[in-house]
Every structure is written in structure tokens, then in C-alpha cells.
Amino acid sequence: MRRGSLPQITPDLLLRAYASGLFPMADSADDPDLFWVEPEVRGLLPLDGFHVPKRLARTVRQAPFEIRINTAFETVVAACAESVENRPSTWINSTITELYSELHRLNHAHSVEAWRDGKLVGGLYGVSLRRAFFGESMFSRATDASKICLVHLVERLCARGFVLLDTQFTTEHLKRFGAIDVPREDYVDLLAEALDGPDLAFADTDQRDRTGT
């Protein structure tokens, strides 16, 4: 659902939008305008029902990547915005990049990163607000890199007391991890529960995280 184009938006307004069940998107990377989205059906990854496929679980145990938190946030966003073979267009434009970079400086937007041999090979980013985490996008340049970042994200959220992982929409990829669709009315209740609590620290400072917790 579109709520009209947004000529100007601030980080504070963006956080209030998330708290109201809205998030912004752009038609394309070249379009400077944004619009609000409030899906009739929302995608969630239940933290108590997260499923790691057996093969991936073996790979996670082998620790093929160094997992870091918030050490290259803007680089992760830029990688998510790149046009690739299976995603020729993107909704991440320069306005979104600037807004989420500001949220990152305010400690409300975070990246989980996979590094190998000193190179960033995968990652994801999203927004934290009280006990909710809103996943935005992910990318991968090495086999299983973004999937392993997702596993570490869930481990961190569970360890720190988060209760809601919003994926906005579901995909076949996310359904393999247990993602579900919920009606907007149910999502509103779940969001209210997640916001009725302390503003949890996803990451206190920029750090390297080799454990996922």
C-alpha cells in the first residue's frame, strides 16, 4: 500500500513510521522519491520458530567467515543496492542510503557482515527499535554468506531479548527459515508488544563479532 510520495523525511519521522507499521521504498535506485508501504500481509521470521537447514547448520559450525557487526554499514547498504543478475533493479536509492546511514549513526540501524580474507563477501542490514528488528535487505558474494549472516542475526536478537523480526514480505528463500505471513491486524498487535518494553541495544558500539551473540 502506498501512502503518497515523501518530499522530505527525517530519521525521527522514519522511526515513528516503523513504530506505526510503515516503511519507505523507492520505485527504483534512480528515483529520488520515496513512498510509504503498509502491506496487508506482513512477513515475519518467528524467533522461536527459526529453522536452520541441516546443510547450512553444518556450514555455520565450520565458521567459513568472520562475522562482524556494524564495521562497514554503508558498504553493506551500497552492496544491497547493486544491480545483480538475479536482481536487476533495486528500491534502494540515494535518499534511503542517506537516511539509514543517519539511523546507523543514531544506533538504530545495523549491519551483520561476513568477511573472508579481509574482504566483505556478504551481509544484511536493518533497523532496531525497542524489542523489534526490521530487516531491510541482504546481499551475498560468496556461497551461504548472507544466510550465515541471517543465522547470526537471529542468534543475536534472541540473546538480547528481541521478540520481533520483521522481514516486510516473505520469499521462498525466507520461508526455508520459517518465515510466515501474518495479516496486518495481527502484525499491529505483535508490533505493539515489541514496542512495549525497553529500547534494547543491538550493538553498543562498532565491533567485531565472531560469536553471533
Side-chain angles (χ1 to χ4, degrees):
M1 175 186 296
R2 297 191 181 192
R3 292 292 187 88
S5 61
L6 310 177
Q8 185 174 3
I9 184 172
T10 65
D12 179 66
L13 178 60
L14 183 54
L15 289 176
R16 286 190 282 124
Y18 275 107
S20 299
L22 307 174
F23 57 88
M25 294 186 71
D27 278 322
S28 69
D30 298 326
D31 186 346
D33 293 330
L34 304 180
F35 57 86
W36 290 128
V37 180
E38 186 181 26
E40 294 289 339
V41 177
R42 197 77 169 227
L44 299 179
L45 259 175
L47 294 173
D48 58 357
F50 184 69
H51 170 69
V52 182
K54 290 183 179 180
R55 184 195 64 77
L56 181 62
R58 290 195 298 270
T59 304
V60 170
R61 290 192 294 269
Q62 295 168 358
F65 309 111
E66 177 188 3
I67 302 300
R68 303 182 192 176
I69 304 296
N70 285 349
T71 67
F73 179 84
E74 293 184 359
T75 305
V76 169
V77 175
C80 289
E82 290 178 352
S83 175
V84 294
E85 183 177 354
N86 63 344
R87 189 188 59 205
S89 62
T90 177
W91 51 267
I92 301 174
N93 63 6
S94 59
T95 305
I96 285 179
T97 299
E98 292 170 5
L99 278 170
Y100 286 83
S101 294
E102 182 60 27
L103 282 187
H104 174 62
R105 288 187 283 272
L106 295 172
N107 207 30
H108 277 292
H110 309 279
S111 57
V112 181
E113 308 149 10
W115 293 77
R116 186 169 61 192
D117 299 328
K119 295 182 179 180
L120 180 65
V121 295
L124 59 84
Y125 78 96
V127 173
S128 66
L129 185 61
R130 295 193 178 275
R131 299 190 298 162
F133 190 91
F134 307 89
E136 286 296 319
S137 189
M138 61 175 61
F139 81 99
S140 187
R141 295 172 180 161
T143 301
D144 292 333
S146 62
K147 297 176 185 177
I148 291 176
C149 285
L150 179 61
V151 173
H152 280 275
L153 170 66
V154 172
E155 289 178 352
R156 171 173 285 261
L157 295 177
C158 290
R160 299 202 168 199
F162 286 79
V163 298
L164 179 67
L165 174 51
D166 178 351
T167 65
Q168 300 177 347
F169 305 102
T170 58
T171 63
E172 290 304 315
H173 170 70
L174 290 174
K175 287 180 180 179
R176 288 195 289 269
F177 292 92
I180 61 173
D181 290 316
V182 299
R184 182 172 61 188
E185 295 78 10
D186 294 342
Y187 174 78
V188 169
D189 292 337
L190 294 169
L191 178 60
E193 178 185 356
L195 297 179
D196 183 21
D199 204 359
L200 300 179
F202 181 86
D204 299 323
T205 59
D206 287 357
Q207 60 189 274
R208 295 187 180 190
D209 176 23
R210 298 170 187 270
T211 66
T213 60

